[in-house]
Amino acid sequence: WDPKNPLCPGATRANGEVNPQYEGTFVFPNDFPALQPDAPEPGDSDHPLFRAAAARGVCKVMCFHPWSDLTLPLMSLAEIRAVIDAWAELAAELGASYPWVQIFENKGAMMGCSNPHPHCQVWASSFLPNEARLEDRTQRQHLTQHSVPMLLEYAEQEALRKVKTRLLSVSPPWKLDFLLLPRRHVCRLQDLREDERDSLASIMQRLLIKYDNLFEVSFPYSMGWHGAPTGPYLEEDCRHWQLHAHYYPPLLRSATVRKFMVGYEMLAQAQRDLTPEQ
């Protein structure tokens, strides 16, 4: 516990507010939000190539645990389950008003995390971000053409092919990324049943322990949840969506050299030099 760490219980944050002596999860408004609910409208454009619109929303921070020396793989199943429940509660609360609620965790300095205290962020926005728009379009097209949600069909094919190395989740063979999804059709995080939340806590713990053990380090990653849009989309047909979480490890050239993307990788397609086996 460090009284100078703004995420610790009882610590004073940048805006002068004092955190409660929380013992589980703790959610508060981000003191440096990227989105504001009252962002001003831009001026009218005199040309269609220069159109602009206000990006409005709210940004929150969620602390997973009062101890700064813990990470999710070191937490108990009950503590991870509490995080999942808090995620679902926030997704439902913010999703009542906003079309997109992005829950994401950056772990480790290599992934841009400046504070080691176990925490994530939740950004609710008045618009669908680019990745959400792309996933919405491709999943909708697949359901229209094949009458089954795309990610459910993909998971079923993985099971039929008995790819043992992808038992916990779907991992593209050329990466160490993971796509974690329910076995049944679930559109949003808040729709998970009690037993499914218990199962998710167990899978998250096992996956993250494997990351740590494989590389013998508290492994850095970025992760985030994607589900059906909310807000006005709650009244629309979103059966094409399947809830899932992305886990993105850093790109590495070796155990000590990070891979920074430039040139072709920025302009065309990212490349990974090593196979998972290497």
Side-chain angles (χ1 to χ4, degrees):
W1 180 82
D2 180 1
K4 297 180 180 179
N5 187 331
L7 299 186
C8 281
T12 301
R13 302 203 310 275
N15 62 357
E17 293 191 16
V18 178
N19 295 336
Q21 295 292 340
Y22 65 92
E23 298 180 351
T25 59
F26 169 51
V27 179
F28 62 91
N30 195 316
D31 297 326
F32 305 98
L35 296 167
Q36 299 275 13
D38 54 355
E41 284 287 351
D44 293 334
S45 171
D46 59 355
H47 194 282
L49 289 179
F50 297 93
R51 287 178 298 175
R56 298 189 174 96
V58 297
C59 299
K60 294 182 179 290
V61 176
M62 179 196 296
C63 295
F64 296 154
H65 197 280
W67 296 1
S68 289
D69 59 346
L70 281 188
T71 57
L72 278 172
L74 300 178
M75 290 166 55
S76 69
L77 286 177
E79 290 167 338
I80 298 175
R81 168 63 197 268
V83 170
I84 294 169
D85 287 339
W87 281 343
E89 183 178 339
L90 266 179
E93 174 190 335
L94 297 175
S97 305
Y98 289 97
W100 190 254
V101 180
Q102 184 59 65
I103 299 169
F104 66 98
E105 179 196 3
N106 293 326
K107 179 191 171 190
M110 186 175 286
M111 303 306 283
C113 183
S114 59
N115 194 318
H117 194 95
H119 71 286
C120 73
Q121 298 190 53
V122 183
W123 293 12
S125 62
S126 60
F127 57 92
L128 293 188
N130 290 342
E131 289 295 319
R133 287 182 179 275
L134 178 61
E135 290 192 1
D136 184 71
R137 184 170 70 248
T138 54
Q139 290 182 99
R140 187 186 299 275
Q141 289 173 347
H142 189 90
L143 183 68
T144 300
Q145 295 171 2
H146 303 282
S147 302
V148 60
M150 180 176 68
L151 291 180
L152 268 186
E153 183 174 19
Y154 187 76
E156 290 170 358
Q157 286 298 313
E158 289 279 0
L160 288 173
R161 296 161 191 257
K162 299 181 179 178
V163 185
K164 295 181 180 179
T165 57
R166 306 181 201 171
L167 195 57
L168 294 180
S169 54
V170 178
S171 175
W174 61 93
K175 297 184 178 182
L176 288 169
D177 306 350
F178 278 86
L179 189 67
L180 182 60
L181 65 156
R183 292 178 181 271
R184 73 174 178 97
H185 188 200
V186 179
C187 288
R188 300 179 177 93
L189 186 62
Q190 52 268 41
D191 297 333
L192 290 175
R193 300 187 301 239
E194 293 291 314
D195 60 320
E196 291 169 333
R197 297 185 187 195
D198 289 338
S199 176
L200 175 58
S202 175
I203 291 174
M204 284 174 54
Q205 185 188 61
R206 283 183 281 160
L207 172 60
L208 297 178
I209 286 174
K210 288 179 184 294
Y211 267 155
D212 284 3
N213 289 350
L214 177 61
F215 296 96
E216 298 181 346
V217 67
S218 184
F219 193 63
Y221 61 81
S222 287
M223 70 79 63
W225 284 100
H226 283 176
T230 48
Y233 294 90
L234 291 172
E235 303 300 323
E236 297 188 7
D237 184 359
C238 291
R239 289 176 297 167
H240 55 290
W241 271 90
Q242 173 70 358
L243 172 70
H244 59 281
H246 293 279
Y247 282 85
Y248 295 135
L251 284 167
L252 301 173
R253 292 193 182 274
S254 71
T256 57
V257 179
R258 185 175 180 184
K259 180 178 175 67
F260 292 92
M261 293 192 295
V262 295
Y264 180 89
E265 295 172 308
M266 292 184 69
L267 298 168
Q269 179 173 317
Q271 304 292 305
R272 188 182 291 271
D273 302 331
L274 301 175
T275 67
E277 291 77 17
Q278 289 173 314

